[in-house]
Amino acid sequence: MSAATPGTGDLGPGRPVLFRDGTVLTMDDRHTVLRDADVLVAGEHVEAVGHGLSAPDDALVVDATGGILMPGMIDTHRHLWQTAMRGYGADWTLTQYFVWYYLEWGKIFRPEDIYAGNLLSAIEAIDAGVTTLVDWSHGLRTIDHADAAVDALESVPGRYVLAYGNIQAAPWEWSAAPEFRDFVNRRLHGRGDMLGFQMAFDVTGDPAFPERAAFEVARELGAPVTTHAGVWGATNDDGIRLMHENGFMTPSTVYVHAATLTPDSYNRIAATGGSVSISTESEQSAGQGYPPSWRLRRHGIPASLSMDTSVWWSGDLFSAMRSTLSADRSREHLEAHARTETVTHCVLRAEDVVDWATRGGAKALGLDSVVGSLEPGKKADIVLIKNDTSPAMFPLLNPYGHVVFQAQRADVHTVLINGRIVKHNHHLAGIDLTPARQAVANTVTHLTTTLGEEAWKAGMNPEVPKVTVHDNPYTYTDWSAANAK
């Protein structure tokens, strides 16, 4: 653990904090925005939001002038264990991802490798203002791997949901193991809102519906299910139909991607109250399907945001908000142009995707009474976006638009989780990167040694398909000579 940020004194848990004179995005039911306002934190909770608030004598007073105060962001689907391979799969397709992790090399990850990825990803989330994180942990081949995942999460001050999964075994197999239930009772039950539990598995659409057994275990344990649905070539409408016909679609079910479903499937999701976790950068690049926000709007399906995996993409939700809004508008324009029409007013707004990144995630996880908005009585998960050295942080005219299109992780000034300061003045508080750096280096060494140099390089650099260039009938290259004729 590192010392407190210089010049701030004690940043330990329990110290009151007063944010003074910021632009406050409350994300309450009315999406109230307060200018030049204060937020007071006492203990684990937001004590008050308003103007001219008084602070206890021992409070840390943070000048939020020129900054934006918002609820901590919530990522509802991230494979933390893969962060140890940050950027490795930048040029992958989804097929190459499946081959690498599911068929070839996912099975060589040791418990310490799961720990390394989770540790780094959890720290990275805090740094980017993500205060609640769903660890879609489908690399848990053994209980030792699962213990390592939770050990890492418990070492970093954050709010987490462990979504337990295992891509090396069928869900009806690993969920039936006595050691799985023992793990749930030993590590997850009774942890309150700081460590939640989901079961993470996919439904293939096999008419025999073998996943029924796993759903029954989830129901018995009271665990929500999170599932990759509507993924091109992997999961489809048959899976949604089987879930619905057998009574396993619930308001707590989170459908990840849901990008290639038919209206019938979206109707089933809407009717049963489930929500969709949109991973726009993933859907755009890997090929799950076109990011589905435009479809969800038409069916009234609630949404949250996620970044999927750092083996490809950035681990912050600024990128997720920006890419989601842009993809939705791109689709809107594309469809209008196909009808020879022009879009004159955007439907999806910056305010909407900020909601999805905060309160939308809280609702998806059943935590909307706890976090997701800045209101008295809610847990104090707070992000201050402020950077006095950045020319992109002023003027502050449209705060929602500023969060989505102007801000970035470098502008995250202060982060509180459960009332505890975990980042202040652009520096992590009480967190030392050295153990994470060492753990990840050991994992990379293990992977490169096991694969061998040739396989490691080949995995990172897949072949480029041959491109046939269209035969251009306009052969002249000298424009002035052509005009002179």
Side-chain angles (χ1 to χ4, degrees):
M1 303 295 282
S2 62
T5 304
T8 60
D10 178 26
L11 296 182
R15 184 179 181 185
V17 180
L18 176 65
F19 293 97
R20 180 78 80 190
D21 294 330
T23 296
V24 181
L25 306 183
T26 66
M27 305 314 297
D28 61 9
D29 288 339
R30 299 175 62 184
H31 280 194
T32 303
V33 178
L34 301 174
R35 297 277 187 171
D36 303 317
D38 309 335
V39 176
L40 176 63
V41 174
E44 298 178 353
H45 296 86
V46 175
E47 180 77 11
V49 179
H51 295 90
L53 300 181
S54 298
D57 292 339
D58 61 339
L60 171 67
V61 179
V62 180
D63 179 10
T65 305
I68 299 170
L69 286 158
M70 62 182 288
M73 288 173 275
I74 298 172
D75 187 323
T76 54
H77 157 242
R78 184 181 303 198
H79 307 299
L80 275 67
W81 64 288
Q82 296 172 355
T83 305
M85 292 180 63
R86 183 190 307 285
Y88 180 90
D91 294 319
W92 279 354
T93 62
L94 190 61
T95 298
Q96 287 154 341
Y97 170 89
F98 283 152
V99 168
W100 207 97
Y101 281 113
Y102 284 59
L103 301 180
E104 293 182 345
W105 303 112
K107 60 179 71 70
I108 71 171
F109 278 72
R110 306 163 300 177
E112 54 263 48
D113 304 319
I114 300 294
Y115 181 92
N118 275 31
L119 180 65
L120 181 57
S121 195
I123 296 172
E124 176 186 20
I126 289 174
D127 189 55
V130 177
T131 56
T132 300
L133 194 57
V134 173
D135 179 15
W136 220 102
S137 200
H138 58 352
L140 307 183
R141 296 193 298 113
T142 70
I143 296 303
D144 288 341
H145 289 74
D147 276 317
V150 174
D151 287 345
L153 298 181
E154 289 184 335
S155 71
V156 181
R159 194 179 305 277
Y160 306 104
V161 175
L162 181 74
Y164 192 110
N166 178 6
I167 57 176
Q168 302 301 329
W172 54 91
E173 295 172 344
W174 60 257
S175 65
E179 56 268 27
F180 166 69
R181 290 173 181 257
D182 175 69
F183 169 82
V184 172
N185 292 327
R186 179 168 49 86
R187 299 301 302 265
L188 301 176
H189 275 175
R191 305 304 298 274
D193 55 53
M194 296 304 292
L195 181 59
F197 170 47
Q198 294 176 330
M199 286 176 58
F201 59 88
D202 298 338
V203 182
T204 64
D206 180 345
F209 193 41
E211 298 86 2
R212 171 193 292 277
F215 278 108
E216 290 174 344
V217 171
R219 179 174 290 172
E220 181 183 344
L221 295 175
V225 170
T226 176
T227 184
H228 293 111
V231 174
W232 180 263
T235 56
N236 54 38
D237 297 289
D238 289 334
I240 297 294
R241 178 182 54 78
L242 288 166
M243 289 174 63
H244 187 253
E245 290 176 350
N246 288 277
F248 293 116
M249 295 178 74
T250 75
S252 64
T253 306
V254 178
Y255 306 87
V256 178
H257 303 305
T260 54
L261 298 173
T262 62
D264 181 72
S265 289
Y266 292 116
N267 285 338
R268 293 176 194 258
I269 294 173
T272 53
S275 65
V276 169
S277 178
I278 306 171
S279 298
T280 300
E281 287 185 299
S282 180
E283 290 132 21
Q284 286 177 319
S285 181
Q288 289 91 339
Y290 199 91
S293 58
W294 59 289
R295 292 187 183 274
L296 305 183
R297 288 192 284 103
R298 296 176 181 179
H299 290 271
I301 297 173
S304 61
L305 299 183
S306 58
M307 58 71 56
D308 205 344
T309 170
S310 286
V311 79
W312 265 294
W313 304 289
S314 167
D316 69 67
L317 291 191
F318 294 104
S319 293
M321 288 187 284
R322 188 171 303 168
S323 60
T324 299
L325 189 56
S326 297
D328 190 286
R329 291 177 176 177
S330 178
R331 184 76 190 211
E332 193 174 7
H333 288 296
L334 182 68
E335 293 194 345
H337 295 173
R339 300 189 302 266
T340 67
E341 297 174 359
T342 298
V343 174
T344 59
H345 295 76
C346 292
V347 175
L348 191 66
R349 303 300 175 100
E351 180 177 347
D352 298 320
V353 293
V354 174
D355 183 278
W356 292 351
T358 54
R359 196 162 184 177
K363 290 177 180 178
L365 300 178
L367 292 173
D368 50 309
S369 65
V370 179
V371 294
S373 62
L374 298 184
E375 300 177 87
K378 290 284 188 77
K379 289 293 188 76
D381 288 8
I382 302 174
V383 173
L384 170 61
I385 300 171
K386 174 184 165 79
N387 189 345
D388 292 337
T389 67
S390 171
M393 283 306 295
F394 65 90
L396 182 53
L397 306 177
N398 178 344
Y400 292 113
H402 216 103
V403 169
V404 176
F405 283 127
Q406 308 298 324
Q408 56 182 311
R409 73 165 72 206
D411 301 319
V412 174
H413 180 284
T414 298
V415 180
L416 270 67
I417 301 178
N418 213 43
R420 175 179 178 178
I421 299 167
V422 296
K423 184 178 183 179
H424 183 58
N425 198 22
H426 301 283
H427 293 280
L428 294 169
I431 297 172
D432 185 357
L433 281 179
T434 302
R437 195 183 305 276
Q438 292 173 342
V440 168
N442 289 337
T443 290
V444 172
T445 298
H446 166 65
L447 294 176
T448 55
T449 302
T450 304
L451 271 69
E453 183 176 354
E454 184 176 343
W456 176 258
K457 288 183 178 179
M460 195 187 312
N461 300 283
E463 293 182 4
V464 178
K466 185 176 180 180
V467 176
T468 301
V469 177
H470 176 71
D471 185 22
N472 192 334
Y474 304 105
T475 56
Y476 58 80
T477 57
D478 188 336
W479 179 253
S480 60
N483 285 341
K485 296 179 180 179

